[in-house]
Amino acid sequence: MIGERREEDTVAFEIEGGVAWVKFNRPEKRNCMSPKLNRQMGRVLDELEFRDDVGVLVLTGEGASWSAGMDLKEYFRETEARGLGATRQAQREAYGWWRRLRWFQKPTIAMVNGWCFGGGYGPLFGCDLAFADEAAQFGLSEINWGILPGGGASKVASELLPFRKAMYHALMGENIDGRTAAEWGLVNEALPAAQLKARVSEVAQVLLKKNPVALKATKDAIRRVREMTYDNAEDYLIRAQEAANSFDGEGRKEGIRQFIDDKTYKPGLGAYDKDRQAG
Ligand code: ACO
């Protein structure tokens, strides 16, 4: 590529049938995350989060990489050279959009099409679901160049992997492929590259049919209760559902009505028709 990619070109997205397909867009740098890319992702998430034509967000990478982690030159070396203030700002920009992703209003899916290293574990965990090319490569490569897995990567490994696997993964700096990542629980499923997009689209279509208020309440609940005692979780979930009720209008009542009165569906076998409300 001739010259430097402009900030607004570091992320690409298109919206298709209710799904926002968002791409890390620095394929020539294996989609590593520079301060520019991090700022642009923040803007893109802002733009997409509350749009009525977006019900699910998919995060994937342009080219052969999902994300090769943090940009060692622009995020680490150049930022550090500008001092502590610049370092903290770059951290805020990166961690900020990963946090936004963790609590995003719509369900999010990581479609890991290739390399996924280090800092990439932040957005990987930020996405609610993850599907990978079985040939994708995942690694905590920090140890290979002399740092600990920061930016949440150690936390992600500890959250998603059993202790021995997390420790081995972080200390050894060896990569695992998509299939192993699925066995270990880093992603939901691994598929041949040719089937990856179709499977992710299928999952997105299922999510699009669910009550959106219930989806947001559910994804938050699953993340929040991990750190709660049983009693605290029980209490949180009562309050979260009651808060959701005030946003949801008659949604859940319609769900009961279509099952009990209309007998048009069975909740054990699929979702109610949210576009048909009795009023
Ligand atoms: N930071 C900065 N530049 C990067 C990064 C990165 N993380 N990853 C790739 N690039 C650049 C390369 O320097 C190269 O730039 P150039 O064309 O100007 O020379 C370009 O992207 C292409 O990279 P290659 O290494 O030539 O691509 P290849 O396909 O052979 O290898 C691979 C891909 C394995 C991903 C390799 O680029 C790599 O090891 N990248 C670093 C991965 C990593 O350890 N990331 C940091 C994790 S730790 C953290 O995030 C905190």
Short mmCIF file of all heavy atoms in Angstrom, two decimals, residues 215-251:
data_model
loop_
_atom_site.label_atom_id
_atom_site.label_comp_id
_atom_site.label_asym_id
_atom_site.label_seq_id
_atom_site.Cartn_x
_atom_site.Cartn_y
_atom_site.Cartn_z
N LEU A 215 -32.75 -10.02 24.78
CA LEU A 215 -31.37 -10.34 24.38
C LEU A 215 -30.36 -9.53 25.18
O LEU A 215 -29.38 -10.06 25.70
CB LEU A 215 -31.17 -10.07 22.87
CG LEU A 215 -31.76 -11.09 21.90
CD1 LEU A 215 -31.63 -10.57 20.47
CD2 LEU A 215 -31.07 -12.45 22.02
N LYS A 216 -30.59 -8.22 25.27
CA LYS A 216 -29.66 -7.35 26.00
C LYS A 216 -29.64 -7.72 27.49
O LYS A 216 -28.57 -7.82 28.11
CB LYS A 216 -30.06 -5.88 25.79
CG LYS A 216 -29.35 -4.87 26.69
CD LYS A 216 -27.85 -4.76 26.44
CE LYS A 216 -27.26 -3.56 27.20
NZ LYS A 216 -25.83 -3.75 27.51
N ALA A 217 -30.81 -7.97 28.06
CA ALA A 217 -30.86 -8.34 29.48
C ALA A 217 -30.14 -9.66 29.71
O ALA A 217 -29.43 -9.84 30.70
CB ALA A 217 -32.32 -8.43 29.93
N THR A 218 -30.29 -10.58 28.77
CA THR A 218 -29.68 -11.91 28.91
C THR A 218 -28.16 -11.84 28.79
O THR A 218 -27.43 -12.43 29.59
CB THR A 218 -30.26 -12.87 27.85
OG1 THR A 218 -31.67 -12.97 28.04
CG2 THR A 218 -29.63 -14.25 27.95
N LYS A 219 -27.67 -11.12 27.78
CA LYS A 219 -26.21 -11.08 27.60
C LYS A 219 -25.55 -10.39 28.79
O LYS A 219 -24.50 -10.82 29.26
CB LYS A 219 -25.80 -10.47 26.25
CG LYS A 219 -26.31 -9.08 25.96
CD LYS A 219 -25.83 -8.58 24.60
CE LYS A 219 -24.53 -7.80 24.81
NZ LYS A 219 -23.97 -7.28 23.56
N ASP A 220 -26.19 -9.34 29.31
CA ASP A 220 -25.64 -8.67 30.49
C ASP A 220 -25.67 -9.60 31.69
O ASP A 220 -24.73 -9.65 32.48
CB ASP A 220 -26.43 -7.40 30.81
CG ASP A 220 -26.13 -6.28 29.82
OD1 ASP A 220 -25.40 -6.53 28.84
OD2 ASP A 220 -26.64 -5.15 30.02
N ALA A 221 -26.77 -10.34 31.82
CA ALA A 221 -26.92 -11.24 32.98
C ALA A 221 -25.82 -12.30 32.98
O ALA A 221 -25.18 -12.54 34.01
CB ALA A 221 -28.29 -11.90 32.96
N ILE A 222 -25.59 -12.90 31.85
CA ILE A 222 -24.58 -13.97 31.79
C ILE A 222 -23.20 -13.42 32.14
O ILE A 222 -22.41 -14.06 32.83
CB ILE A 222 -24.58 -14.64 30.39
CG1 ILE A 222 -25.90 -15.39 30.16
CG2 ILE A 222 -23.38 -15.58 30.22
CD1 ILE A 222 -26.13 -16.60 31.06
N ARG A 223 -22.89 -12.20 31.70
CA ARG A 223 -21.58 -11.61 32.06
C ARG A 223 -21.54 -11.20 33.54
O ARG A 223 -20.56 -11.44 34.23
CB ARG A 223 -21.29 -10.38 31.19
CG ARG A 223 -20.86 -10.73 29.78
CD ARG A 223 -20.43 -9.49 29.02
NE ARG A 223 -20.27 -9.79 27.60
CZ ARG A 223 -19.14 -10.23 27.04
NH1 ARG A 223 -18.06 -10.40 27.77
NH2 ARG A 223 -19.08 -10.49 25.75
N ARG A 224 -22.61 -10.58 34.02
CA ARG A 224 -22.59 -10.03 35.39
C ARG A 224 -22.55 -11.11 36.47
O ARG A 224 -21.85 -10.95 37.46
CB ARG A 224 -23.83 -9.17 35.64
CG ARG A 224 -23.92 -7.89 34.82
CD ARG A 224 -23.12 -6.77 35.44
NE ARG A 224 -23.30 -5.53 34.70
CZ ARG A 224 -22.37 -4.60 34.56
NH1 ARG A 224 -21.17 -4.75 35.12
NH2 ARG A 224 -22.59 -3.50 33.87
N VAL A 225 -23.34 -12.17 36.29
CA VAL A 225 -23.47 -13.13 37.40
C VAL A 225 -22.19 -13.93 37.66
O VAL A 225 -22.04 -14.51 38.73
CB VAL A 225 -24.66 -14.11 37.21
CG1 VAL A 225 -25.97 -13.35 37.15
CG2 VAL A 225 -24.47 -14.99 35.98
N ARG A 226 -21.28 -13.93 36.70
CA ARG A 226 -20.02 -14.68 36.89
C ARG A 226 -19.32 -14.27 38.17
O ARG A 226 -18.66 -15.06 38.80
CB ARG A 226 -19.07 -14.42 35.71
CG ARG A 226 -19.55 -14.98 34.40
CD ARG A 226 -18.58 -14.61 33.29
NE ARG A 226 -17.33 -15.36 33.40
CZ ARG A 226 -17.14 -16.56 32.89
NH1 ARG A 226 -18.10 -17.15 32.22
NH2 ARG A 226 -15.98 -17.18 33.02
N GLU A 227 -19.41 -13.00 38.52
CA GLU A 227 -18.67 -12.51 39.68
C GLU A 227 -19.53 -12.35 40.93
O GLU A 227 -19.12 -11.75 41.89
CB GLU A 227 -17.99 -11.18 39.34
CG GLU A 227 -16.92 -11.35 38.29
CD GLU A 227 -16.30 -10.05 37.85
OE1 GLU A 227 -16.70 -9.00 38.37
OE2 GLU A 227 -15.43 -10.11 36.97
N MET A 228 -20.76 -12.89 40.89
CA MET A 228 -21.66 -12.71 42.03
C MET A 228 -21.82 -14.01 42.81
O MET A 228 -21.69 -15.10 42.26
CB MET A 228 -23.05 -12.29 41.54
CG MET A 228 -23.10 -10.92 40.92
SD MET A 228 -24.80 -10.56 40.41
CE MET A 228 -24.49 -9.16 39.34
N THR A 229 -22.16 -13.87 44.10
CA THR A 229 -22.60 -15.03 44.86
C THR A 229 -23.95 -15.46 44.30
O THR A 229 -24.62 -14.69 43.59
CB THR A 229 -22.79 -14.67 46.35
OG1 THR A 229 -23.83 -13.67 46.42
CG2 THR A 229 -21.51 -14.13 46.97
N TYR A 230 -24.38 -16.64 44.67
CA TYR A 230 -25.69 -17.13 44.19
C TYR A 230 -26.81 -16.18 44.61
O TYR A 230 -27.66 -15.78 43.80
CB TYR A 230 -25.96 -18.55 44.70
CG TYR A 230 -27.07 -19.22 43.94
CD1 TYR A 230 -26.78 -20.11 42.91
CD2 TYR A 230 -28.40 -18.92 44.21
CE1 TYR A 230 -27.79 -20.70 42.17
CE2 TYR A 230 -29.42 -19.50 43.48
CZ TYR A 230 -29.12 -20.39 42.46
OH TYR A 230 -30.12 -20.97 41.72
N ASP A 231 -26.78 -15.78 45.89
CA ASP A 231 -27.86 -14.90 46.38
C ASP A 231 -27.85 -13.55 45.68
O ASP A 231 -28.91 -13.01 45.35
CB ASP A 231 -27.73 -14.70 47.90
CG ASP A 231 -28.27 -15.91 48.68
OD1 ASP A 231 -28.89 -16.80 48.04
OD2 ASP A 231 -28.06 -15.98 49.89
N ASN A 232 -26.66 -13.00 45.48
CA ASN A 232 -26.59 -11.71 44.79
C ASN A 232 -27.08 -11.85 43.34
O ASN A 232 -27.75 -10.95 42.81
CB ASN A 232 -25.17 -11.16 44.80
CG ASN A 232 -24.79 -10.60 46.15
OD1 ASN A 232 -25.65 -10.35 46.99
ND2 ASN A 232 -23.50 -10.42 46.37
N ALA A 233 -26.74 -12.95 42.72
CA ALA A 233 -27.18 -13.18 41.34
C ALA A 233 -28.70 -13.28 41.27
O ALA A 233 -29.34 -12.69 40.39
CB ALA A 233 -26.54 -14.45 40.79
N GLU A 234 -29.26 -14.01 42.22
CA GLU A 234 -30.71 -14.18 42.25
C GLU A 234 -31.39 -12.81 42.34
O GLU A 234 -32.32 -12.51 41.59
CB GLU A 234 -31.05 -15.00 43.51
CG GLU A 234 -32.20 -15.94 43.39
CD GLU A 234 -32.28 -16.79 44.66
OE1 GLU A 234 -32.27 -16.24 45.78
OE2 GLU A 234 -32.34 -18.01 44.52
N ASP A 235 -30.87 -11.97 43.22
CA ASP A 235 -31.44 -10.65 43.41
C ASP A 235 -31.25 -9.78 42.16
O ASP A 235 -32.19 -9.14 41.68
CB ASP A 235 -30.75 -10.00 44.63
CG ASP A 235 -31.42 -8.72 45.04
OD1 ASP A 235 -32.65 -8.77 45.29
OD2 ASP A 235 -30.76 -7.67 45.08
N TYR A 236 -30.04 -9.79 41.61
CA TYR A 236 -29.76 -9.01 40.40
C TYR A 236 -30.71 -9.41 39.27
O TYR A 236 -31.24 -8.56 38.55
CB TYR A 236 -28.29 -9.22 39.97
CG TYR A 236 -28.00 -8.78 38.55
CD1 TYR A 236 -27.72 -7.44 38.27
CD2 TYR A 236 -28.03 -9.67 37.49
CE1 TYR A 236 -27.49 -7.02 36.97
CE2 TYR A 236 -27.80 -9.27 36.20
CZ TYR A 236 -27.52 -7.94 35.94
OH TYR A 236 -27.30 -7.54 34.64
N LEU A 237 -30.92 -10.71 39.12
CA LEU A 237 -31.73 -11.20 37.99
C LEU A 237 -33.20 -10.80 38.14
O LEU A 237 -33.86 -10.47 37.15
CB LEU A 237 -31.58 -12.72 37.85
CG LEU A 237 -30.16 -13.15 37.42
CD1 LEU A 237 -29.98 -14.66 37.57
CD2 LEU A 237 -29.84 -12.70 36.00
N ILE A 238 -33.70 -10.78 39.37
CA ILE A 238 -35.07 -10.30 39.59
C ILE A 238 -35.16 -8.84 39.16
O ILE A 238 -36.04 -8.44 38.40
CB ILE A 238 -35.48 -10.42 41.09
CG1 ILE A 238 -35.68 -11.89 41.45
CG2 ILE A 238 -36.73 -9.60 41.38
CD1 ILE A 238 -35.85 -12.13 42.95
N ARG A 239 -34.20 -8.06 39.62
CA ARG A 239 -34.24 -6.63 39.33
C ARG A 239 -34.00 -6.33 37.85
O ARG A 239 -34.61 -5.44 37.27
CB ARG A 239 -33.26 -5.88 40.22
CG ARG A 239 -33.81 -5.67 41.60
CD ARG A 239 -32.79 -5.52 42.71
NE ARG A 239 -33.23 -6.26 43.90
CZ ARG A 239 -34.35 -6.01 44.58
NH1 ARG A 239 -35.13 -5.01 44.23
NH2 ARG A 239 -34.68 -6.73 45.62
N ALA A 240 -33.10 -7.11 37.25
CA ALA A 240 -32.81 -6.90 35.82
C ALA A 240 -34.05 -7.21 34.99
O ALA A 240 -34.37 -6.49 34.03
CB ALA A 240 -31.64 -7.77 35.38
N GLN A 241 -34.78 -8.27 35.34
CA GLN A 241 -35.99 -8.61 34.57
C GLN A 241 -37.06 -7.54 34.78
O GLN A 241 -37.73 -7.13 33.83
CB GLN A 241 -36.53 -9.98 34.96
CG GLN A 241 -37.76 -10.39 34.14
CD GLN A 241 -37.49 -10.39 32.64
OE1 GLN A 241 -36.54 -11.00 32.17
NE2 GLN A 241 -38.30 -9.66 31.88
N GLU A 242 -37.18 -7.06 36.03
CA GLU A 242 -38.21 -6.04 36.27
C GLU A 242 -37.87 -4.74 35.55
O GLU A 242 -38.76 -4.06 35.04
CB GLU A 242 -38.40 -5.85 37.78
CG GLU A 242 -39.13 -7.07 38.37
CD GLU A 242 -39.22 -7.10 39.89
OE1 GLU A 242 -38.69 -6.17 40.55
OE2 GLU A 242 -39.83 -8.05 40.40
N ALA A 243 -36.57 -4.43 35.47
CA ALA A 243 -36.17 -3.24 34.71
C ALA A 243 -36.43 -3.46 33.22
O ALA A 243 -36.92 -2.56 32.52
CB ALA A 243 -34.69 -2.94 34.95
N ALA A 244 -36.14 -4.67 32.74
CA ALA A 244 -36.38 -4.98 31.32
C ALA A 244 -37.87 -4.85 30.99
O ALA A 244 -38.24 -4.38 29.91
CB ALA A 244 -35.88 -6.39 30.98
N ASN A 245 -38.72 -5.25 31.94
CA ASN A 245 -40.17 -5.18 31.70
C ASN A 245 -40.61 -3.77 31.32
O ASN A 245 -41.48 -3.59 30.47
CB ASN A 245 -40.95 -5.60 32.95
CG ASN A 245 -40.80 -7.08 33.24
OD1 ASN A 245 -40.26 -7.82 32.41
ND2 ASN A 245 -41.24 -7.51 34.41
N SER A 246 -39.97 -2.78 31.94
CA SER A 246 -40.42 -1.41 31.67
C SER A 246 -39.99 -0.94 30.28
O SER A 246 -40.58 -0.02 29.73
CB SER A 246 -39.90 -0.46 32.75
OG SER A 246 -38.51 -0.41 32.68
N PHE A 247 -38.99 -1.59 29.68
CA PHE A 247 -38.59 -1.23 28.31
C PHE A 247 -39.33 -2.07 27.28
O PHE A 247 -39.48 -1.70 26.13
CB PHE A 247 -37.09 -1.49 28.10
CG PHE A 247 -36.20 -0.48 28.73
CD1 PHE A 247 -35.56 -0.74 29.92
CD2 PHE A 247 -36.01 0.77 28.13
CE1 PHE A 247 -34.74 0.20 30.52
CE2 PHE A 247 -35.20 1.71 28.71
CZ PHE A 247 -34.56 1.43 29.91
N ASP A 248 -39.75 -3.23 27.72
CA ASP A 248 -40.22 -4.25 26.79
C ASP A 248 -41.69 -4.11 26.44
O ASP A 248 -42.20 -4.79 25.56
CB ASP A 248 -39.95 -5.63 27.43
CG ASP A 248 -40.34 -6.76 26.51
OD1 ASP A 248 -40.20 -6.58 25.30
OD2 ASP A 248 -40.82 -7.79 27.01
N GLY A 249 -42.41 -3.24 27.14
CA GLY A 249 -43.85 -3.12 26.88
C GLY A 249 -44.52 -4.46 27.12
O GLY A 249 -44.35 -5.09 28.16
N GLU A 250 -45.23 -4.95 26.11
CA GLU A 250 -46.02 -6.16 26.28
C GLU A 250 -45.34 -7.40 25.72
O GLU A 250 -45.97 -8.45 25.58
CB GLU A 250 -47.37 -5.97 25.57
CG GLU A 250 -48.20 -4.82 26.12
CD GLU A 250 -48.61 -5.01 27.57
OE1 GLU A 250 -49.32 -5.99 27.86
OE2 GLU A 250 -48.16 -4.21 28.42
N GLY A 251 -44.05 -7.27 25.38
CA GLY A 251 -43.34 -8.36 24.68
C GLY A 251 -43.51 -9.73 25.32
O GLY A 251 -43.98 -10.67 24.69
#
